[in-house]
Amino acid sequence: MSTIKKAYIAGGCFWGMEDLFRVRPGIIDTEVGYIGGENENPTYKYHPGHAEGIELTYKSDVTSFREILDYFFRIHNPTTVDRQGNDRGSSYRSAIFIQNEEDQKIAEEVIAIVNKSGRWDGDIVTTLEPFAPFWQAEPEHQDYLVKHPDGYTCHFERFDTFL
């Protein structure tokens, strides 16, 4: 059984999420792109309904989907609808794209833990959406904060682990 798996999440501008996840133990690749929208082959200028998401390729014997979600809820504000920092609109929604029943169960459990912690001022509004095609963003958006270290991001570690 392969230990290489993929997770698909969205939590605001994809640059900041990617930059923080790229260095996490067990993450072997990150790609930014568009997911959960209305059109095929979306672009940065035209991606109706798509979230700015990231595809995480990871070694499940080093990190788990549960640990990925724990970190996800620590680096963005999951209590704001369609907004992160200065970015507003459904492209910046907080979402987990569910690939199977196990993902659904884990996501629901982690959301309950985060809500119960009381660390956020409000309830989690992260949507659990069925997996949809992931469309890789244009090359200039990949590894953006590596190429532009002083670029904009509203993502940072806010809390220690919830788990």
Side-chain angles (χ1 to χ4, degrees), residues 14-56:
F14 45 31
W15 301 334
M17 296 278 292
E18 180 188 39
D19 198 53
L20 291 172
F21 268 107
R22 87 172 66 257
V23 297
R24 298 291 298 167
I27 302 295
I28 58 175
D29 191 38
T30 59
E31 298 291 333
V32 300
Y34 315 101
I35 187 168
E38 302 164 15
N39 65 321
E40 293 186 4
N41 301 305
T43 64
Y44 191 71
K45 293 186 183 216
Y46 187 69
H47 56 272
H50 288 280
E52 286 193 9
I54 59 174
E55 175 187 74
L56 301 170

Side-chain angles (χ1 to χ4, degrees), residues 56-150:
L56 301 170
T57 305
Y58 66 100
K59 292 182 178 182
S60 63
D61 59 339
V62 177
T63 193
S64 67
F65 185 60
R66 179 180 305 278
E67 290 167 321
I68 286 170
L69 294 184
D70 173 69
Y71 193 65
F72 170 70
F73 285 115
R74 293 165 43 207
I75 64 171
H76 85 292
N77 185 341
T79 67
T80 55
V81 176
D82 295 345
R83 189 178 108 210
Q84 285 298 309
N86 295 325
D87 296 324
R88 296 176 190 272
S90 65
S91 296
Y92 305 107
R93 68 186 179 271
S94 176
I96 301 167
F97 294 88
I98 303 298
Q99 299 177 75
N100 54 51
E101 289 180 24
E102 181 181 3
D103 283 359
Q104 178 82 28
K105 181 180 179 215
I106 291 169
E108 289 171 353
E109 289 172 358
V110 173
I111 288 171
I113 290 167
V114 175
N115 270 329
K116 187 176 179 181
S117 78
R119 293 186 198 170
W120 286 106
D121 293 333
D123 290 332
I124 304 306
V125 297
T126 303
T127 58
L128 302 182
E129 301 180 29
F131 176 76
F134 179 83
W135 303 91
Q136 190 175 43
E138 299 83 348
E140 62 268 25
H141 297 291
Q142 305 299 328
D143 305 314
Y144 184 85
L145 290 174
V146 171
K147 298 172 194 168
H148 307 277
D150 294 325

